Each structure stands twice: as C-alpha cells, then as structure tokens.
C-alpha cells in the first residue's frame, strides 16, 4: 500500500541522465511516441512580474510565442533535437498525450495538447487579454508531419462550454487505452489572489466515441462529457502504465490536503465526486506519472524534487545525475516512458518550467530510472 502522508524522511534514488535538450522556452510536458524513440514537448512561453496580474505575482502566458518541439532518444547515452519549431505561433502549450485509438477525424498517433490558457498578454504588452476574447482548446496535431489536424474548442460557445462553462486554464492532459481524453482546468485567470476562481477547478472526461462530435462543435451523444470538481485545484494528469486508471495531483495553496495524489476511476466520473487522496502532504505539486510496477511519481517545482512512492510503502526522492546540483531546478509536468534503448526499463521525460529565469535557459531531460 502507498503511504497516505508524505511528511516522512524519504530515501534517495540516484538516476542516470540519458541526455537533454537545452535552449527550451518554459517546456511544460513531454510525451514519447509509439515508435519508442521520438518524443514531442511544448514550450509554453511565459513571464512573471506582469503588473496587471496579481500585483506582478504570477505566471502570464505570451500570445503566439509558444511552440512544439520534437526530439529523439538515439541510444542509452544520446538524445538529439530533431525539430525545434515543429509547430509555431501557439499560446500556452501545456499538457499533452498521444491518441492510441483512431477516430474518423484523428488517426492513432495524433497528439493532443492543451493550448490557450489564461491569463494571456501580448509580448511587451502592459495589459491582459480579456478572457472572453481568448480561445482555449485542445489542439490535435500530427507529430511526424508537424501538421495541425483539428481541435476541441473549450470556449463558452463550444460543446463543453455550453454544458459546463468555458475553460480558463487547460493544463494537464491524459488519454487512456480506450482513447478517452481527460484534461484539467486550473482557473488561474482571475486577476486577484483569493478565491473563488472564475470557474470551478475540475477534471473532464471526453469519451472516445464523442471526440469527433465535439471537435466538429456538434452536439455529442447526450451529455457525454463528464466532470469532477477538484477542491484543491487540479494540475498534472496521467494514465497509469500499471492499470490504465487516471491519476491527478492537486496544487493550490488552498488545497485542504496540502498536495495530494488521487486515483480516479470511471465510477468516480459517474458520481462526479473526487475521491480521497492516495498520497497527501506533498505541497505544491505539478506533474505525476505511474509506472508499470505501480510506482507513483510526483514533482514539486518549488523544491525542485521528484518523489517516488512504491506499492510497498516506500518513499524516495530522485536525484538526477552524480551531483547534488539541480539538473532540473523546477520540474513541471513530466511523463514516464519505456524507450527502445532501455530494453523494457522506464525513463522519465522531465521538463524544467524555469519560471522567473531568463528565456530559453530551460531544458527537457531524459532520465534512466531502471529499477524503480
């Protein structure tokens, strides 16, 4: 059983760096493609200190400055950048995942990525965009051709917005083996620091059979999209490599469990209620991943740590490389993968969100965690 409270003294796991992509611009999430070699990641392009947003305290995304990159794990010791700007001119590219089951509109292997998170400003601008004029969406693209294939609109006029509300900050995204799409909304677009947020923090499920209806902005087969409100604010989402269930983390300073990891079932979506956390007390969490062995990984960007929780109740903190210096100072959303080069052992695709540092000083690091 996993630990229920993370306030212990964890052990240390020393992980090996396979390679890294440097010169990134606030990368948020990376995902390995089905070939077992190629991965894509979004560079979300943000700033802190915008005077119009919370007195200069908080993240603001730069309009049309985000882009998607593609890279490759060549062997056990080499990672190379393939295309720096596979798709350019985007805004706030956050969580992403790969569609395993085709629809009529989207072939298997399509990547979906969250885009258009509030608050947004023009580069160098002194004001924020009106949220009603922004267009949050789940963008679908071909990671080989670098071609946009379509979108799932998340503004008020879209199918999901009509049933629930417009999405303020689409962030985490995950897709299960059946092709259902899950995404989270962190409603940070309000210009003040206190609650309530502009819309409910929640996770949403789009059943595979309804993806095409919603992407075409047509009425789906009934009220197919399901929602679970998340009192502690949702951030990262993942689908477990162990049992194909959804996991999420909470990230707010208002979080009643002070940073929790949650296992979410389809029955929970039917009930529309967030279950009790499996792990709690981690603080401000960003990313989450679950391995084939059932090990739960969670990142805490403010402390620069990645935690690993085993089914046997163990708790370890991953140290990347041979030194204690932080190779990934601010780990954001990340994903676990099983590249061909590691012959069945896992690796982490870890993104450094680099909030408050100079542009293009961040990196995506591929980390060998064999044995975890």
């Amino acid at each position: 059983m996993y630990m229920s409270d993370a306030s212990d003294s964890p052990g240390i796991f020393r992980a090996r760096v396979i390679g890294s992509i440097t010169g990134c611009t606030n990368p948020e999430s990376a995902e390995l493609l089905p070939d077992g070699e190629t991965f894509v990641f979004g560079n979300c392009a943000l700033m802190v200190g915008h005077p119009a947003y919370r007195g200069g305290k908080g993240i603001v995304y730069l309009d049309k400055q985000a882009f998607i990159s593609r890279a490759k794990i060549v062997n056990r010791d080499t990672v190379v950048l393939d295309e720096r700007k596979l798709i350019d001119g985007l805004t706030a590219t956050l969580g992403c995942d790969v569609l395993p089951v085709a629809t009529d509109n989207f072939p298997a292997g399509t990547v979906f990525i969250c885009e258009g998170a509030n608050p947004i400003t023009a580069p160098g601008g002194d004001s924020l965009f009106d949220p009603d004029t922004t267009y949050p969406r789940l963008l679908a693209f071909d990671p080989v051709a670098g071609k946009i294939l379509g979108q799932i609109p998340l503004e008020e006029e879209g199918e999901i917005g009509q049933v629930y509300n417009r999405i303020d900050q689409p962030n985490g995204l995950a897709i299960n083996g059946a092709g259902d799409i899950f995404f989270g909304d962190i409603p940070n677009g309000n210009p003040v620091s206190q609650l309530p947020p502009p819309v409910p923090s929640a996770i949403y499920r789009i059943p595979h059979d309804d993806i095409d209806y919603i992407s075409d902005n047509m009425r789906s087969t009934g009220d197919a999209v399901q929602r679970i409100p998340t009192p502690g604010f949702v951030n990262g989402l993942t689908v477990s490599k162990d049992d194909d269930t959804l996991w999420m983390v909470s990230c707010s300073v208002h979080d009643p469990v002070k940073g929790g990891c949650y296992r979410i079932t389809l029955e929970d979506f039917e009930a529309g209620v967030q279950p009790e956390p499996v792990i709690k007390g981690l603080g401000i969490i960003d990313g989450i991943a679950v391995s084939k062995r059932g090990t739960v990984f969670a990142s805490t960007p403010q402390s620069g740590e990645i935690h690993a929780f085993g089914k046997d109740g163990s708790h370890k903190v991953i140290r990347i490389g041979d030194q204690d210096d932080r190779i990934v100072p601010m780990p954001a959303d990340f994903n676990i993968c099983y590249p061909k080069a590691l012959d069945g052992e896992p690796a982490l695709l870890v993104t450094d969100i680099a909030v408050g540092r100079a542009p293009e000083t961040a990196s995506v690091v591929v980390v060998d965690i064999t044995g975890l």
Side-chain angles (χ1 to χ4, degrees), residues 27-283:
E28 170 71 8
S29 181
E31 188 65 47
L32 188 72
L33 302 184
D35 66 4
E37 299 174 341
T38 309
F39 63 94
V40 292
F41 59 93
N43 297 263
C44 69
L46 55 81
M47 67 169 294
V48 293
H50 196 286
Y53 182 64
R54 299 184 181 178
K57 298 179 181 178
I59 292 171
V60 175
Y61 298 100
L62 301 177
D63 186 48
K64 297 181 176 61
Q65 301 302 298
F67 55 95
I68 296 166
S69 300
R70 185 176 65 205
K72 182 169 290 188
I73 303 171
V74 177
N75 54 45
R76 288 177 173 267
D77 300 293
T78 308
V79 175
V80 298
L81 181 65
D82 186 19
E83 290 284 350
R84 174 170 168 75
K85 292 190 175 180
L86 180 69
I87 300 176
D88 200 4
L90 305 177
T91 303
T93 48
L94 300 176
C96 64
D97 206 350
V98 182
L99 184 71
V101 183
T103 71
D104 289 342
N105 290 357
F106 305 108
T110 297
V111 176
F112 282 84
I113 190 166
C114 296
E115 198 213 352
N118 280 310
I120 301 171
T121 188
D126 58 3
S127 63
L128 301 178
F129 288 3
D130 184 339
D132 291 336
T133 67
T134 62
Y135 299 95
R137 59 181 178 169
L138 304 183
L139 183 70
F141 67 93
D142 180 336
V144 177
K147 177 183 178 182
I148 293 175
L149 300 178
Q151 64 179 7
I152 294 177
L154 301 177
E155 73 272 17
E156 188 172 6
E157 294 77 17
E159 167 69 7
I160 295 171
Q162 291 181 57
V163 174
Y164 294 108
N165 49 254
R166 70 172 286 116
I167 302 303
D168 189 70
Q169 192 181 113
N171 196 303
L173 186 146
I175 304 176
N176 66 10
D180 301 339
I181 298 176
F182 305 90
F183 70 93
D185 184 9
I186 305 179
N188 280 331
N190 51 323
V192 293
S193 58
Q194 67 267 21
L195 296 177
V199 297
S201 176
I203 51 175
Y204 295 81
R205 172 181 174 250
I206 305 173
H208 177 265
D209 290 346
D210 287 273
I211 291 173
D212 287 346
Y213 291 98
I214 297 173
S215 69
D216 291 334
N217 220 8
M218 296 169 57
R219 181 64 54 181
S220 60
T221 54
D223 294 332
V225 177
Q226 298 170 309
R227 178 172 80 171
I228 299 177
T230 55
F233 278 41
V234 62
N235 199 321
L237 295 178
T238 194
V239 168
S240 168
K241 305 292 187 184
D242 179 30
D243 61 7
D244 205 40
T245 56
L246 181 72
W247 286 70
M248 60 156 277
V249 292
S250 53
C251 69
S252 171
V253 295
H254 308 285
D255 187 359
V257 304
K258 307 302 181 185
C261 302
Y262 298 80
R263 181 178 181 271
I264 312 291
T265 65
L266 296 184
E267 289 74 22
D268 294 322
F269 275 98
E270 289 290 340
V273 177
Q274 177 179 287
E276 291 298 311
V278 176
I279 301 160
K280 60 184 180 180
L282 272 178

